[in-house]
Amino acid sequence: MNLRNSHQQYGIVSIVIHWVMTLLIIGLFVLGLYMTGLDYYHPWYKTAPDIHRSLGIIMLLLLVFRLVWRMVNPKPAPVDNDPEILHKVAEWVHGLLYLLLFAIALSGYLISTADGRGIDVFNWFTVPALVPGFENMEDRAGEIHFILATTLIALAGLHGLAALKHHFIDRDITLVRMLGSSRSMDQ
């Protein structure tokens, strides 16, 4: 398998980034829901948000790398006979997923830096607080963060269902290619 994409298949870099980000996004969502229910005396009250913020910054860095990688690699052609409108919808959904990820990262940044402190990422480096706070910044950004994250998970769920539709109903190799194989379904 090649590192780079071809017009027929995804390269290992694209595949690994896709699945690492999938796990990160699901993990961030679950951890985010979990930590909002913690009381002050819970042992994870401070640890869970620290991990969530650090993983959020890692996700943002991977997202930037993924978009740069996508710009310098060919995009594999669709493998099915769906109408062109469905291909356009898929492109819009992918674009919306990326936009949501950036907006979620920005709102998370605003939550985390509302008190003027930067974000410490696993004691490796600190992302400084660059945006001056405004009234109720943490609460407003928190509401937006939750709405965007919930929307992202719903849209990602539809993305996953579409992949399963390609695999089990259309019986094409769309999903198989993102799992790292270029074999046809007939083999």
Side-chain angles (χ1 to χ4, degrees):
M1 168 160 290
N2 293 327
L3 287 176
R4 297 177 55 92
N5 298 348
S6 71
H7 291 288
Q8 293 78 35
Q9 66 185 25
Y10 291 99
I12 191 69
V13 173
S14 294
I15 293 168
V16 168
I17 292 171
H18 177 272
W19 292 110
V20 167
M21 286 190 68
T22 298
L23 293 173
L24 262 175
I25 291 163
I26 293 168
L28 282 163
F29 186 75
V30 170
L31 182 58
L33 288 178
Y34 172 72
M35 69 188 199
T36 58
L38 300 177
D39 67 26
Y40 182 77
Y41 298 103
H42 194 284
W44 276 77
Y45 182 78
K46 179 167 174 12
T47 304
D50 288 343
I51 292 171
H52 186 84
R53 285 188 289 267
S54 292
L55 290 176
I57 296 294
I58 301 293
M59 186 279 306
L60 177 61
L61 294 173
L62 274 173
L63 177 62
V64 170
F65 178 78
R66 180 180 189 165
L67 290 175
V68 169
W69 187 257
R70 186 176 171 155
M71 289 188 314
V72 300
N73 274 274
K75 180 182 175 192
V79 295
D80 62 356
N81 295 322
D82 284 339
E84 184 61 27
I85 187 71
L86 288 182
H87 295 293
K88 290 291 180 197
V89 168
E91 287 179 25
W92 277 91
V93 167
H94 281 99
L96 185 55
L97 287 168
Y98 293 134
L99 184 63
L100 281 168
L101 287 167
F102 275 114
I104 290 165
L106 175 61
S107 61
Y109 174 82
L110 293 176
I111 295 165
S112 300
T113 60
D115 62 0
R117 288 184 288 167
I119 302 170
D120 180 54
V121 180
F122 294 123
N123 292 321
W124 298 337
F125 61 93
T126 300
V127 177
L130 301 172
V131 179
F134 53 83
E135 187 176 339
N136 297 324
M137 183 167 106
E138 187 174 6
D139 293 336
R140 289 180 185 174
E143 291 172 12
I144 292 168
H145 192 71
F146 176 76
I147 291 167
L148 293 175
T150 304
T151 303
L152 173 72
I153 290 298
L155 195 58
L158 289 175
H159 175 71
L161 288 174
L164 293 174
K165 174 237 178 223
H166 277 282
H167 190 73
F168 292 110
I169 296 173
D170 299 342
R171 301 198 48 79
D172 66 33
I173 61 168
T174 300
L175 176 61
V176 174
R177 285 193 313 185
M178 191 45 81
L179 294 172
S181 175
S182 60
R183 69 171 177 77
S184 73
M185 294 293 291
D186 299 329
Q187 293 177 336

